[in-house]
């Protein structure tokens, strides 16, 4: 009977329904809308080297808990009641995690670490049970994964009990363990290590899930522009900054979705070892993409609040760094899925590097306009090189 129940929790592989993103998965993502908002606000409010390091660590953690859940729902069927219960529980824990972000390095460190460990280890244990006697290779995979997450969990909890720099160090160790895990095949003495052929994922599902997360991040950038603009007096300058932030976000959407996402989805669906490509292009490759969008949202806030500032290299780093991180992520993502690095993206990074030399002498809003112009040029260059036409592009 247990065997039948376990089977009933898995998706039907090889069918359209087996790769479909369910409404519950979209509902689950709502928690991470809040997470991304909290992360961008935390970075903007504590924009110092230490604050940036803390925000980066929390961004890595939020992405990791989300992408691990995306991998799990590639196998588990969210339309089955036990899986629904698991995802709803993760949503509640995720809400606790997100709510604790502003004070994660203050009074709510244990809440952040505890919620994170509960999500990671709890989901992995549940999936191990669901796989038992159904898929031996993946059962062993999730036993290995649970082992790695449990070891990392010791440092997450310990960090929550420590204070200040000690907490940061403990959490960096925890995160390093978790990030090394997939690359190391989650090797465990006596249990061996996972092989790329073991990860028989639905490429269409993985591509769509990551695309939806990118949409969440882009949505936060749009909200920042709209919310801040609504709170300021109407003027020519605020209008220019508003348009600059919006156009920059649209350019990011174009660069990711016009060619990158579609080609990646097609490639991974026809890959002999989709798990290896999913790990490289989606699990790791999307990190700078998401970080770039978050930093871009923070940069838009700075353009509104310090438009005439010059010589502030920290703010300039945010304005140029958001675009730069996004291009690096797309370079990684598109290179992994098309087997060639887009020249347009490399040129865009060169342009941004050249702008860093002019940054100390330019007002922030002008620097933002130039960074956005770089994204537009890269998008136009890529479009022309891949379509071979100057005809007006079709949005889809």
């Amino acid at each position: 009977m247990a065997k039948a129940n376990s089977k009933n929790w898995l998706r039907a592989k090889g069918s359209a329904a087996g790769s479909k993103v369910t409404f519950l998965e979209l509902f689950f993502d709502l928690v991470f809308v809040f997470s991304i908002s909290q992360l961008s606000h935390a970075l903007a409010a504590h924009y110092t080297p230490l604050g940036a390091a803390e925000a980066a660590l929390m961004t890595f953690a939020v992405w990791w808990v989300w992408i691990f859940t995306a991998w799990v729902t590639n196998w588990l069927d969210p339309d089955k009641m036990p899986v629904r219960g698991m995802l709803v529980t993760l949503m509640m824990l995720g809400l606790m995690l997100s709510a604790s972000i502003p004070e994660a390095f203050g009074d709510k460190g244990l809440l952040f670490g505890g919620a994170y460990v509960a999500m990671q280890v709890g989901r992995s244990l549940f999936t191990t049970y669901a796989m038992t006697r159904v898929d031996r290779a993946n059962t062993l995979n999730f036993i290995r994964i649970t082992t790695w997450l449990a070891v990392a969990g010791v440092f997450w909890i310990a960090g929550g009990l420590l204070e200040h720099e000690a907490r940061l160090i403990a959490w960096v160790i925890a995160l390093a363990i978790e990030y090394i895990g997939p690359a190391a095949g989650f090797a465990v003495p006596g249990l061996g290590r996972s092989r790329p052929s073991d990860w028989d994922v639905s490429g269409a599902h993985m591509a769509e899930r990551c695309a939806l997360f990118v949409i969440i991040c882009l949505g936060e950038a749009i909200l920042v522009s709209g919310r801040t603009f609504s709170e300021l007096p109407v003027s020519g300058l605020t209008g220019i900054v508003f348009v600059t932030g919006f156009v920059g976000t649209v350019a990011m959407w174009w660069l990711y979705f016009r060619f990158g996402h579609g080609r990646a989805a097609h490639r991974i669906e026809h890959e002999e070892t989709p798990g290896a490509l999913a790990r490289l292009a989606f699990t790791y490759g999307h990190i700078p993409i998401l970080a770039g969008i978050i930093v871009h949202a923070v940069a838009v806030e700075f353009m509104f609040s310090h438009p005439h500032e010059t010589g502030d290299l920290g703010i300039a780093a945010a304005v140029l760094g958001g675009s730069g991180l996004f291009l690096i992520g797309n370079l990684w993502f598109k290179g992994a899925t098309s087997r060639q690095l887009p020249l347009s993206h490399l040129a865009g990074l060169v342009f941004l590097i050249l702008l860093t030399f002019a940054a100390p002498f330019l007002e922030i809003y002008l620097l933002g306009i130039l960074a956005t112009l770089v994204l537009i040029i890269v998008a136009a260059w890529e479009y022309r090189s891949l379509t071979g036409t100057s005809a007006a592009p079709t949005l889809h």
Side-chain angles (χ1 to χ4, degrees):
M1 186 68 177
K3 181 177 180 179
N5 286 339
S6 293
K7 284 184 177 180
N8 287 338
W9 296 1
L10 304 183
R11 288 177 181 265
K13 291 289 184 180
S15 65
S19 61
K20 178 184 177 183
V21 174
T22 64
F23 289 124
L24 181 57
E25 289 174 275
L26 300 178
F27 188 39
F28 172 80
D29 287 350
L30 291 178
V31 170
F32 290 87
V33 174
F34 183 38
S35 298
I36 299 303
S37 176
Q38 291 280 74
L39 287 168
S40 65
H41 294 330
L43 178 57
H46 304 284
Y47 194 68
T48 63
L50 179 60
E54 293 172 351
L57 184 145
M58 290 187 289
T59 300
F60 285 135
V62 166
W63 167 250
W64 216 234
V65 77
W66 183 89
I67 192 64
F68 267 47
T69 306
W71 275 89
V72 161
T73 53
N74 202 279
W75 285 288
L76 300 182
D77 187 353
D79 287 332
K80 302 301 187 220
M81 191 56 68
V83 182
R84 285 185 176 182
M86 183 267 291
L87 285 174
V88 170
T89 301
L90 289 179
M91 286 182 67
M92 181 186 69
L93 291 170
L95 195 59
M96 294 168 59
L97 179 82
S98 302
S100 64
I101 285 175
E103 293 295 326
F105 286 88
D107 295 336
K108 295 181 179 178
L110 189 57
L111 177 61
F112 182 92
Y116 182 87
V117 172
M119 292 181 77
Q120 291 288 74
V121 177
R123 181 198 55 245
S124 189
L125 285 172
F126 178 92
T127 309
T128 303
Y129 176 74
M131 292 290 184
T132 304
R133 297 191 305 277
V134 176
D135 187 335
R136 176 169 173 76
N138 271 324
T139 299
L140 287 175
N141 276 340
F142 281 98
I143 291 174
R144 298 183 192 108
I145 291 170
T146 304
T147 302
W148 278 71
L149 294 178
V151 172
V154 173
F155 290 93
W156 282 111
I157 298 300
L161 296 171
L162 298 172
E163 295 183 356
H164 307 303
E165 287 79 6
R167 176 176 298 172
L168 180 61
I169 293 171
W171 283 358
V172 166
I173 294 172
L175 208 58
I177 292 171
E178 294 198 23
Y179 269 72
I180 291 170
F186 297 105
V188 175
L191 295 177
R193 59 181 294 162
S194 303
R195 298 169 298 175
S197 57
D198 293 334
W199 299 97
D200 183 23
V201 298
S202 166
H205 179 269
M206 182 63 69
E208 186 174 357
R209 293 298 289 124
C210 288
L212 290 170
F213 200 88
V214 171
I215 286 289
I216 287 173
C217 294
L218 291 172
E220 169 58 17
I222 293 289
L223 289 175
V224 166
S225 294
R227 183 183 62 250
T228 310
F229 182 64
S230 70
E231 296 171 352
L232 295 173
V234 177
S235 69
L237 183 58
T238 57
I240 290 171
V241 172
F242 173 75
V243 171
T244 299
F246 177 76
V247 172
T249 305
V250 171
M252 288 179 167
W253 168 83
W254 177 276
L255 284 166
Y256 181 86
F257 286 97
R258 182 61 180 88
F259 293 109
H261 168 69
R263 288 187 301 176
H266 180 269
R267 165 79 189 282
I268 196 172
E269 273 293 281
H270 297 84
E271 185 74 8
E272 290 184 6
T273 54
L277 183 59
R279 182 182 66 190
L280 177 63
F282 293 100
T283 302
Y284 290 118
H286 273 61
I287 297 169
I289 292 175
L290 304 175
I293 298 172
I294 292 173
V295 174
H296 168 70
V298 173
V300 172
E301 286 199 52
F302 289 155
M303 283 190 284
F304 274 116
S305 58
H306 307 281
H308 296 295
E309 188 83 34
T310 58
D312 192 322
L313 297 182
I315 295 179
V319 174
L320 297 177
S323 299
L325 283 169
F326 186 79
L327 287 178
I328 290 171
N330 274 272
L331 194 66
W332 181 345
F333 174 52
K334 294 175 182 179
T337 54
S338 67
R339 295 178 179 169
Q340 60 182 15
L341 297 177
L343 180 60
S344 58
H345 292 50
L346 290 170
L349 288 171
V350 172
F351 291 154
L352 290 172
I353 291 172
L354 292 176
L355 279 176
T356 61
F357 295 100
F361 312 103
L362 292 175
E363 295 184 348
I364 291 301
Y365 85 95
L366 290 175
L367 193 62
I369 292 173
L370 291 174
T372 297
L373 184 60
V374 169
L375 292 179
I376 294 172
I377 291 172
V378 171
W381 184 341
E382 182 180 42
Y383 175 77
R384 288 182 63 87
S385 65
L386 292 178
T387 61
T389 179
S390 59
T394 302
L395 299 180
H396 54 261

